[in-house]
Amino acid sequence: MIPLILLAEEEDQREEKMNQQRYRRCLRLNRSVIELPRNSFIQNFRVSHDIFVEILREIEGDLTPGTSIGITAEQKLAAALRFFATGHFQQGVGKDFHIPMAQSTFSTMLTKVLNSMERKLCSKYIMLDMSEADAEAANHYFNEKSGISGVVMCADGTHIRIKRPNTNEHFYYNRKGVSNALMICDHQQRIRFVNAKYGGAKHDAHVWNRSPARSFFAAKHRNGNTAFKLLGDSAYPREDWLLIPVRDANPSSADAQYNERHTAGRIIIERTFGVLKSRFRCLAGTRELQYAPSKCVKIINVCCALHNMCIEHGINS
């Protein structure tokens, strides 16, 4: 026979859970994130009202109510953006005053929002091809910074910490225990290409050789566009369209001077990584992404698309 005191405790727990559900539902019904002032909105979600509305129009058709009773598409998007912005685990987002929902609800919702955002936003906002005007502006920028002509973008890898996978760990973790994402940026810090699916287990040269970005630049060069080159570090192979530093250059030599100019031009990608991770703290090194590698790849891709949208809309913080 179950003691009465245990039955009473279980009843109290059920009642407390129901009260929490009612409280969250009440908050959701009476608060809209859109009502936040501009600066507070950007501080909380790292995007502007205009970007938020644009994304919502793109994905709301995919966010059918399902079992998330009382949670609108607006609230689902807000919860996902809040997670990207803060890097807090799901418990933190679930307790957020502006987007109150249970952890289990958030977990299910994030997957749907993430899948829709990757499908609708990434191909639209992450692209290697440039207009003639953008390519000319990029050539001018890199020539001014480095004195190296014909450069339009920079390539490098950045470390992003992810939860240690239960299986096939060696595919994703490098010797530092992090995932390594290949990214390419332009003169305006737009991320033109991202590939995080190989993780940190593969050398940069291996990832590059199998990358569609390499095929893209090779085709440009074959078609006679010699003013469409990349700056990369010494981990990448030297190619006609991929310029890397000269190894073991003697101090004060012409090669050493070239390396200094190369570094001056390529520093923009380090700045791009800094802005991206500052804007979307879920990618910062202070926390791990607590998901399977395939889901981490989606998060990285979506954050890169959001980063580009912020640049397009003139949001600098």
Side-chain angles (χ1 to χ4, degrees):
M1 183 175 181
I2 300 175
L4 291 177
I5 190 171
L6 292 179
L7 292 174
E9 288 177 355
E10 291 177 359
E11 182 63 29
D12 289 343
Q13 291 173 357
R14 283 194 294 269
E15 182 66 25
E16 182 180 359
K17 184 177 181 179
M18 292 177 63
N19 287 337
Q20 289 176 344
Q21 291 172 343
R22 284 192 289 265
Y23 177 69
R24 292 189 186 108
R25 190 174 296 112
C26 181
L27 285 178
R28 291 196 296 265
L29 290 172
N30 290 282
R31 295 188 64 87
S32 171
V33 296
I34 295 294
E35 296 172 0
L36 285 171
R38 181 184 185 277
N39 290 340
S40 295
F41 192 93
I42 294 175
Q43 184 179 8
N44 277 278
F45 303 110
R46 313 307 290 168
V47 301
S48 66
H49 290 91
D50 289 343
I51 295 175
F52 186 93
V53 171
E54 180 180 341
I55 297 171
L56 189 60
R57 286 172 179 166
E58 290 278 359
I59 71 172
E60 61 183 341
D62 296 334
L63 305 183
T64 53
T67 57
S68 302
I69 298 173
I71 301 179
T72 65
E74 174 189 305
Q75 290 161 343
K76 293 175 183 179
L77 175 58
L81 290 173
R82 182 65 174 156
F83 168 71
F84 300 150
T86 64
H88 292 164
F89 299 151
Q90 293 179 359
Q91 293 93 328
V93 175
K95 295 176 182 176
D96 190 280
F97 181 70
H98 298 295
I99 39 177
M101 62 182 68
Q103 179 188 352
S104 58
T105 301
F106 176 80
S107 179
T108 301
M109 174 280 306
L110 178 63
T111 299
K112 293 181 179 180
V113 175
L114 189 61
N115 289 342
S116 182
M117 290 178 77
E118 185 187 42
R119 186 170 61 255
K120 299 290 181 63
L121 301 181
C122 289
S123 61
K124 185 176 181 180
Y125 289 99
I126 304 175
M127 61 184 69
L128 282 167
D129 213 1
M130 278 181 156
S131 67
E132 290 185 10
D134 281 346
E136 185 177 345
N139 285 160
H140 177 77
Y141 171 88
F142 286 108
N143 189 45
E144 187 178 65
K145 292 293 181 181
S146 67
I148 303 174
S149 62
V151 175
V152 292
M153 303 180 203
C154 297
D156 202 359
T158 184
H159 290 160
I160 297 172
R161 295 178 62 197
I162 67 173
K163 180 182 178 181
R164 190 176 295 273
N166 294 326
T167 59
N168 297 325
E169 175 186 323
H170 59 289
F171 290 158
Y172 301 98
Y173 258 52
N174 66 9
R175 65 184 184 280
K176 296 182 180 179
V178 295
S179 178
N180 189 15
L182 167 65
M183 296 189 193
I184 296 175
C185 80
D186 66 12
H187 61 298
Q188 295 181 311
Q189 297 186 356
R190 281 189 174 94
I191 296 171
R192 293 283 183 165
F193 177 82
V194 55
N195 184 355
K197 69 179 182 179
Y198 286 103
K202 299 295 184 181
H203 191 272
D204 286 346
H206 174 91
V207 178
W208 171 254
N209 286 333
R210 286 156 180 76
S211 167
R214 182 180 183 274
S215 301
F216 175 85
F217 281 91
K220 285 282 188 181
H221 192 80
R222 284 195 305 271
N223 292 333
N225 194 343
T226 57
F228 210 90
K229 299 174 183 175
L230 277 165
L231 296 179
D233 67 17
S234 57
Y236 295 94
R238 185 181 300 277
E239 303 189 79
D240 291 338
W241 56 87
L242 177 56
L243 308 180
I244 66 172
V246 178
R247 292 184 176 87
D248 303 320
N250 292 324
S252 302
S253 66
D255 286 343
Q257 292 174 10
Y258 167 80
N259 287 349
E260 290 178 3
R261 292 187 289 116
H262 186 282
T263 299
R266 206 175 65 85
I267 196 171
I268 192 169
I269 195 162
E270 299 297 336
R271 293 174 180 164
T272 301
F273 292 155
V275 172
L276 173 68
K277 293 181 181 182
S278 176
R279 179 173 277 147
F280 299 109
R281 301 297 296 173
C282 67
L283 304 183
T286 54
R287 295 181 182 273
E288 292 179 340
L289 287 173
Q290 298 290 301
Y291 302 101
S294 59
K295 193 167 185 176
C296 292
V297 169
K298 292 177 184 289
I299 291 172
I300 294 167
N301 291 343
V302 167
C303 286
C304 288
L306 293 171
H307 166 86
N308 289 348
M309 294 180 77
C310 288
I311 291 175
E312 186 173 298
H313 284 257
I315 299 173
N316 299 317
S317 58

